[in-house]
Every structure is written in structure tokens, then in C-alpha cells.
């Protein structure tokens, strides 16, 4: 954005954050379509083809003369047609990602049976190894692909990416005979709307003293999902399951007048997620800096290593991927077995605790980033001509590495949380909720940059100058650390009060407090 499109630092950061935001919010639409209509397999298929088309178009902008930036090696201003096609291509990739990411991950998790103890444990490991594979891809992307971009051409790198995506599509299709499929049952949002309508209609009715008197359909009549145990929070919604006429309990009911306990509990699950979703946004804002300002900092520092090899700026992001890979591996192979024995919890520790640990690392990464940037600016002050070129780029290694470790806890935890805690019919949407945290955080980060720029300029000098040397990113990082710390206190309070999804493992309805009733995450 700065070198080819000639955008300034603030505009480039906003452009990247906007695209990243759209890319991570599109899964909300893709996840809904997968859960309600197309099914996860078909959604992955269609979205991967869309993604592939975007990559092909991106490749054409590098090889078709009329679509190139310009004819010269250095362009004072890129052609408008190049900009248009470029943005169409990357937003096609966003649309493809919107269906690919939530559907593929949830489709993979669907291959495990929740009601089988060993398969359920394997599913818990699945999210760790999914992230391990994803980070391995990121590692190759920011090293091998970036090297090809910098030392061969962007076009050559685009060809490699296009071929890889085409091969992955072929492999996915070949595996079709071996998959387990879940048939979509229509919009998963309709039953929730029915619960709200039914609760409003019966708002004047008293709740029964015994929760067993609330209406629940027999397991054999359940269209999808599993029976959930009744909880005592959000009691207003329980009115949707109150029987007005006891003698009609066995008859087919009007869903806009009477909901089952399971449907009511599913609505409670979604409402309980909203505060957690909001409380994870500051973490996402901290993560967003790694792909914008962290990378920009690399360009101002000494990137030479042995034999004069120059590290591409984006390749330093490999340290974050390595940190996440190490974090996930140690957690899966060392911490989980030990914690299972100590806590007798299937997961080792509850999901929200894992997320909270990662959020602490995000605070640490902002503190370290602020101190390193202050050090870099002091070097610039001493020698304005040479700037920070005398300072090794590996000064940035700690903040990237700490960010990666935090991601191994929080990002993997969020994937598992939003997949596991949503109703069974909304699991693609669940993964989309996780992705939307990062997407919304990118938008909030862009907004925050704009607000901070305006406020600091009004009361002195803007923290975001024309380049990094005239900016005060260290102050911005301290601000983010303060926001994340304050938010951490709120998150801890929310996590302590949170009620996890409690699945009835029996076929018949009964007392959820007994030994045969197993909470899915407690």
C-alpha cells in the first residue's frame, strides 16, 4: 500500500485493517449459509472456487500488460484499472474466505462424535492441531512466499499461491467418500426468534417452582442437536417453555407459542456469549498491530543477517507463527495431560481460563512493544540521518514471539469456545463468531487510530506522522496496554459468572445434577 499504491502510513494502515476486517466478518454470512442451507461441504466447495478465482485475477494483474501497475519499473502513480482489479481480486478472496474458514474448520470438527468419550477428547485436540497446521502455513507464507515476492516477483508468488489453492481443492474433493455429513435444517436463528416471541406472549405467566414442569420434547422428536439441561439464569426466557394447558403437553405445539427447554437454553447460550465476545475485542486490537505497525517498524531497522542476506519485513512475522506453534504444542502435549490429572477436567482447564491467559500475553506484548519503540526512537534522535538502521530488527523478536504465545492460548481457545458453546445447529456460525472478533477488532483499531490521530493533533502533535520516525507509536502501544489491562479485569468478572453449555448425555429427560449428566466443558 505504501510502496505500490503510494498511500501514507495512516491510510495504508486503515486500508489493511479494513480489508482484514471485511475478511474476518464475511464468515458470519458464510457460516449462516452453511448451517442453514448449503451445508458445510458444499459451502467449502463454492467458497474455495471463489477464493481461487480471486487468486487467478490477482495473478493476472501481474502478467497482463493492460492490468499491470504501469509500464515502468517505478510507478509515480499506479493505473486506476490496476487498482480496481487489484481490490476486486482481494475482496473476492475475502468472500471466499467468508465461506471457507468457518465451514472447513467446523466440518473438520464434525468428523468427531460428541457422545463418544474418546472422540470427544480427540475433538479437543483437533482445534490445537488445526491451529498448528494453520500456523505452519503462515510460517511458509511469510518466509517462502515473501522471499519469492521480494527476490523474484509478486507474479511468481501469486502463481505459487494459486497452484496451492487449486491442489487443496482437488484433495478436498477426493476425500468426499470418507466424510461425515450433517444435513442443514434451515435457519438456526428462527427457533431463537420463536423463543423471544413465546416468552413475550407469556410474560405475565409465573415460572413453575419445579423446572421439570417446563416443556421439553422427547429425544425422538428433536430435529437436530442434543437435549440441554435447564439453567437458572435469564429466567424470563423460561416463560417460553411454560405450558399453559397441561393436557396439551404431548400434542404438537405452535413453536411461536411454546418452545422446548433446549431451545430456551440455546437462546441463553447466545446471549451469554455477547459479553464474552465484546470483552475479547481489545485482545483482537492488540493482535491487529502485528500485521500493520509491527511490520512497518521492520522496514526502518537493520534486516541484514549472515552473508548480507536481507530479511523481508513481512518474514519477521514468522516469529509470531513459531511462538504460536510452540505454545500450542506444549499446551497439547505437556500441559493438558498434567492438568487433566490435577483438575479432572476433560480440557485440563476451562476454555475461558485458557482465553484469559492469552489475553495476559497480549498485554505483555504491548508493554514490550512500547519499550522497544521508545528505544528505536531514541536511536533516531541520536542520529537522524542514519535513523534506526543501526538497530537490529531482532529487537522486535520479543513482541512478535509473545504475541504468538498469546495467540496459542486465546485464538485456539476462542475457536473451541465459539464452536462448542453455540447450539449444535450453529457450529459454522460459531467459528464465524470467533473470526468476527478479529474482524471487528480490525475495524475498531482503524477507528481508534483515527480518533487518537485527531485528538493528539488537536492538543499538540499527532502520534501518527508521515513516517514512523515522526510518529509516537510507543505512546499508542502504552494506550493499548492500558485498555487491555482494564478490559482484563472486566473479563475475569464475566468468566467467573459464566455458565457453560450443559449437555444431557441421556436419551430420556431427567435430573441434570446427577453423575450421569456431564457438562460439556465444566
Amino acid at each position: 500500500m505504501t510502496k505500490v499504491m503510494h498511500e501514507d502510513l495512516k491510510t495504508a494502515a486503515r486500508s489493511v485493517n479494513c480489508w482484514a476486517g471485511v475478511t474476518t466478518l464475511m464468515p458470519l454470512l458464510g457460516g449462516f449459509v452453511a448451517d442453514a442451507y448449503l451445508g458445510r461441504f458444499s459451502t467449502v466447495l463454492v467458497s474455495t472456487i471463489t477464493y481461487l478465482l480471486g487468486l487467478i485475477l490477482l495473478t493476472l494483474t501481474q502478467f497482463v500488460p493492460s492490468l499491470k501497475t504501469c509500464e515502468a519499473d517505478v510507478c509515480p502513480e499506479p493505473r486506476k484499472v490496476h487498482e480496481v482489479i487489484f481490490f476486486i481480486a482481494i475482496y473476492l478472496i475475502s468472500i471466499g474466505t467468508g465461506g471457507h474458514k468457518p465451514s472447513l474448520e467446523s466440518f473438520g470438527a464434525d468428523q468427531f462424535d460428541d457422545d463418544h468419550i474418546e472422540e470427544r477428547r480427540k475433538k479437543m485436540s483437533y482445534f490445537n492441531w488445526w491451529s498448528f497446521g494453520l500456523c505452519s502455513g503462515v510460517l511458509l507464507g511469510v518466509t517462502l512466499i515473501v522471499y519469492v515476492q521480494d527476490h523474484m516477483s509478486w507474479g511468481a508468488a501469486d502463481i505459487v499461491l494459486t497452484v496451492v489453492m487449486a491442489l487443496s481443492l482437488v484433495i478436498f474433493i477426493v476425500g468426499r467418500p470418507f466424510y461425515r455429513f450433517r444435513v442443514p435444517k434451515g435457519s438456526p436463528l428462527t427457533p431463537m426468534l420463536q423463543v423471544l416471541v413465546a416468552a413475550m406472549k407469556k410474560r405475565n405467566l409465573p415460572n413453575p417452582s419445579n423446572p421439570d414442569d417446563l416443556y421439553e420434547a422427547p429425544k425422538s422428536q428433536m430435529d437436530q442437536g442434543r437435549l440441554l439441561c435447564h439453567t437458572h439464569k435469564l429466567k424470563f426466557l423460561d416463560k417460553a417453555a411454560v405450558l399453559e394447558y397441561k393436557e396439551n403437553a404431548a400434542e404438537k405445539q405452535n413453536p411461536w407459542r411454546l418452545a422446548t427447554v433446549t431451545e430456551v437454553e440455546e437462546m441463553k447460550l447466545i446471549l451469554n456469549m455477547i459479553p464474552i465476545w465484546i470483552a475479547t475485542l481489545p485482545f483482537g486490537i492488540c493482535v491487529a498491530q502485528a500485521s500493520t505497525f509491527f511490520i512497518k517498524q521492520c522496514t526502518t531497522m537493520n534486516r541484514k543477517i549472515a552473508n548480507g542476506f536481507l530479511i523481508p519485513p513481512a518474514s519477521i512475522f514468522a516469529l509470531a507463527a513459531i511462538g504460536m506453534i510452540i505454545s500450542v504444542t506444549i499446551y497439547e502435549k505437556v500441559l493438558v495431560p498434567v492438568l487433566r490429572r490435577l483438575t479432572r477436567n476433560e480440557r485440563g482447564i476451562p476454555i475461558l481460563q485458557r482465553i484469559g491467559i492469552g489475553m495476559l500475553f497480549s498485554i505483555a506484548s504491548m508493554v514490550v512493544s512500547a519499550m522497544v519503540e521508545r528505544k528505536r526512537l531514541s536511536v533516531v534522535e541520536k542520529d537522524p540521518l542514519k535513523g534506526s538502521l543501526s538497530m537490529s530488527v531482532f529487537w522486535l523478536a520479543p513482541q512478535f514471539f509473545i504475541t504468538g504465545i498469546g495467540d496459542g492460548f486465546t485464538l485456539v481457545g476462542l475457536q473451541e469456545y465459539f464452536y462448542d458453546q453455540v447450539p449444535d445447529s450453529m457450529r459454522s456460525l460459531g467459528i464465524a463468531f470467533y473470526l468476527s472478533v478479529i474482524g471487528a477488532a480490525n475495524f475498531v483499531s482503524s477507528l481508534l487510530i483515527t480518533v487518537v490521530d485527531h485528538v493528539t493533533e488537536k492538543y499538540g502533535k499527532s502520534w501518527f506522522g508521515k513516517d514512523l520516525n515522526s510518529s509516537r507509536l510507543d505512546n499508542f502501544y502504552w494506550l493499548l496496554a492500558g485498555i487491555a489491562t482494564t478490559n482484563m479485569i472486566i473479563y475475569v468478572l464475566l468468566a467467573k459468572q459464566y455458565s457453560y453449555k450443559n449437555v444431557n448425555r441421556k436419551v430420556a429427560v431427567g435430573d441434570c445434577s446427577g453423575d450421569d449428566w456431564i457438562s460439556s466443558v465444566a
Side-chain angles (χ1 to χ4, degrees):
M1 293 298 173
T2 54
K3 289 186 177 180
V4 179
M5 303 297 185
H6 300 282
E7 293 183 349
D8 60 34
L9 181 63
K10 290 178 290 185
T11 306
R14 284 196 291 262
S15 296
V16 173
N17 283 331
C18 184
W19 176 78
V22 171
T23 302
T24 44
L25 286 177
M26 277 300 295
L28 289 171
L29 176 60
F32 175 79
V33 171
D35 287 338
Y37 304 110
L38 287 183
R40 287 157 197 166
F41 176 85
S42 297
T43 303
V44 172
L45 188 63
V46 172
S47 60
T48 305
I49 293 172
T50 305
Y51 198 119
L52 186 58
L53 290 175
L55 286 173
I56 292 172
L57 195 58
L58 195 62
T59 304
L60 292 177
T61 63
Q62 301 298 318
F63 292 100
V64 177
S66 60
L67 299 181
K68 286 185 176 181
T69 313
C70 63
E71 297 297 336
D73 292 333
V74 179
C75 301
E77 186 177 352
R79 289 171 172 162
K80 288 297 181 183
V81 66
H82 174 84
E83 291 187 34
V84 171
I85 300 301
F86 172 79
F87 280 107
I88 289 175
I90 64 172
Y91 278 98
L92 269 178
I93 291 173
S94 292
I95 295 171
T97 301
H100 185 276
K101 276 193 173 181
S103 304
L104 185 59
E105 187 171 355
S106 57
F107 185 66
D110 286 346
Q111 307 309 305
F112 302 91
D113 186 354
D114 283 302
D115 294 323
H116 189 281
I117 294 177
E118 286 303 315
E119 288 202 29
R120 191 165 67 247
R121 285 195 171 189
K122 287 179 180 178
K123 178 184 283 190
M124 296 171 190
S125 296
Y126 162 80
F127 288 100
N128 288 322
W129 294 122
W130 168 275
S131 297
F132 181 95
L134 195 64
C135 284
S136 298
V138 170
L139 190 59
L140 289 173
V142 298
T143 53
L144 177 62
I145 299 300
V146 169
Y147 179 84
V148 172
Q149 287 173 339
D150 281 9
H151 292 81
M152 294 177 65
S153 70
W154 284 77
D158 290 342
I159 289 175
V160 173
L161 295 173
T162 303
V163 170
V164 169
M165 181 55 74
L167 287 175
S168 73
L169 177 60
V170 172
I171 293 170
F172 179 71
I173 294 172
V174 169
R176 191 181 190 283
F178 307 100
Y179 299 143
R180 289 174 174 173
F181 297 88
R182 293 182 182 271
V183 179
K185 301 289 185 179
S187 172
L189 302 180
T190 302
M192 296 182 185
L193 181 60
Q194 291 171 338
V195 168
L196 289 175
V197 171
M200 285 297 296
K201 286 181 178 178
K202 293 186 284 187
R203 60 187 178 277
N204 295 322
L205 293 180
N207 282 321
S209 56
N210 186 355
D212 289 343
D213 292 335
L214 294 172
Y215 175 70
E216 180 63 284
K219 180 72 173 179
S220 59
Q221 295 181 18
M222 292 291 289
D223 291 332
Q224 56 188 15
R226 299 162 292 170
L227 297 179
L228 300 181
C229 299
H230 174 263
T231 60
H232 295 284
K233 291 186 176 181
L234 300 172
K235 289 186 177 181
F236 170 77
L237 295 175
D238 288 344
K239 294 180 183 292
V242 173
L243 285 163
E244 294 180 274
Y245 305 102
K246 190 76 174 179
E247 61 273 13
N248 292 333
E251 297 178 5
K252 185 176 181 180
Q253 303 293 331
N254 178 0
W256 295 95
R257 189 75 194 180
L258 180 66
T260 65
V261 169
T262 293
E263 290 169 340
V264 170
E265 291 303 317
E266 288 178 343
M267 184 63 191
K268 290 181 182 180
L269 286 175
I270 299 300
L271 293 178
N272 283 333
M273 281 183 170
I274 295 174
I276 299 296
W277 187 92
I278 295 172
T280 54
L281 285 178
F283 168 82
I285 295 172
C286 294
V287 170
Q289 309 316 310
S291 60
T292 52
F293 291 134
F294 283 14
I295 300 297
K296 193 63 181 175
Q297 284 174 281
C298 295
T299 64
T300 68
M301 304 173 77
N302 182 10
R303 294 180 280 120
K304 290 181 180 179
I305 54 175
N307 299 320
F309 179 80
L310 194 65
I311 302 174
S315 292
I316 197 70
F317 193 82
L319 292 171
I322 292 170
M324 188 170 182
I325 288 172
I326 292 173
S327 173
V328 168
T329 304
I330 292 177
Y331 184 83
E332 172 65 25
K333 289 298 184 181
V334 179
L335 293 180
V336 169
V338 172
L339 290 170
R340 277 176 176 167
R341 289 194 295 269
L342 292 176
T343 65
R344 296 188 178 182
N345 185 308
E346 272 188 322
R347 300 182 189 278
I349 56 175
I351 305 176
L352 292 182
Q353 283 188 20
R354 178 177 184 174
I355 294 171
I357 292 171
M359 291 168 72
L360 288 174
F361 278 100
S362 72
I363 297 172
S365 72
M366 289 297 101
V367 172
V368 171
S369 300
M371 292 190 294
V372 171
E373 177 62 8
R374 179 61 263 179
K375 169 66 177 177
R376 193 192 69 80
L377 289 174
S378 68
V379 172
V380 174
E381 288 173 6
K382 292 178 181 178
D383 188 355
L385 293 177
K386 192 174 181 181
S388 54
L389 289 176
S390 61
M391 191 174 175
S392 172
V393 73
F394 288 104
W395 275 86
L396 300 177
Q399 64 199 61
F400 275 102
F401 196 71
I402 293 171
T403 297
I405 294 174
D407 289 352
F409 282 91
T410 297
L411 290 186
V412 181
L414 285 172
Q415 291 172 46
E416 194 172 356
Y417 169 75
F418 283 110
Y419 176 88
D420 189 84
Q421 292 300 297
V422 295
D424 291 355
S425 60
M426 294 179 63
R427 284 179 158 172
S428 292
L429 262 176
I431 298 297
F433 292 155
Y434 144 69
L435 294 169
S436 71
V437 170
I438 307 302
N442 275 283
F443 282 121
V444 175
S445 180
S446 294
L447 178 62
L448 187 61
I449 290 171
T450 302
V451 172
V452 170
D453 177 50
H454 176 74
V455 171
T456 53
E457 187 174 36
K458 183 178 180 181
Y459 293 97
K461 183 182 178 182
S462 173
W463 288 357
F464 305 102
K466 292 183 178 180
D467 54 45
L468 285 185
N469 293 342
S470 60
S471 302
R472 290 303 305 268
L473 282 188
D474 56 329
N475 290 341
F476 183 62
Y477 291 150
W478 281 119
L479 174 64
L480 292 182
I483 292 172
T485 301
T486 304
N487 176 75
M488 187 70 200
I489 298 171
I490 299 171
Y491 175 83
V492 170
L493 296 175
L494 291 173
K496 283 185 175 181
Q497 299 177 358
Y498 189 83
S499 296
Y500 287 101
K501 183 179 183 179
N502 199 6
V503 177
N504 175 358
R505 303 290 179 189
K506 282 187 173 182
V507 173
V509 179
D511 181 9
C512 289
S513 62
D515 294 336
D516 292 327
W517 302 89
I518 306 172
S519 171
S520 63
V521 294

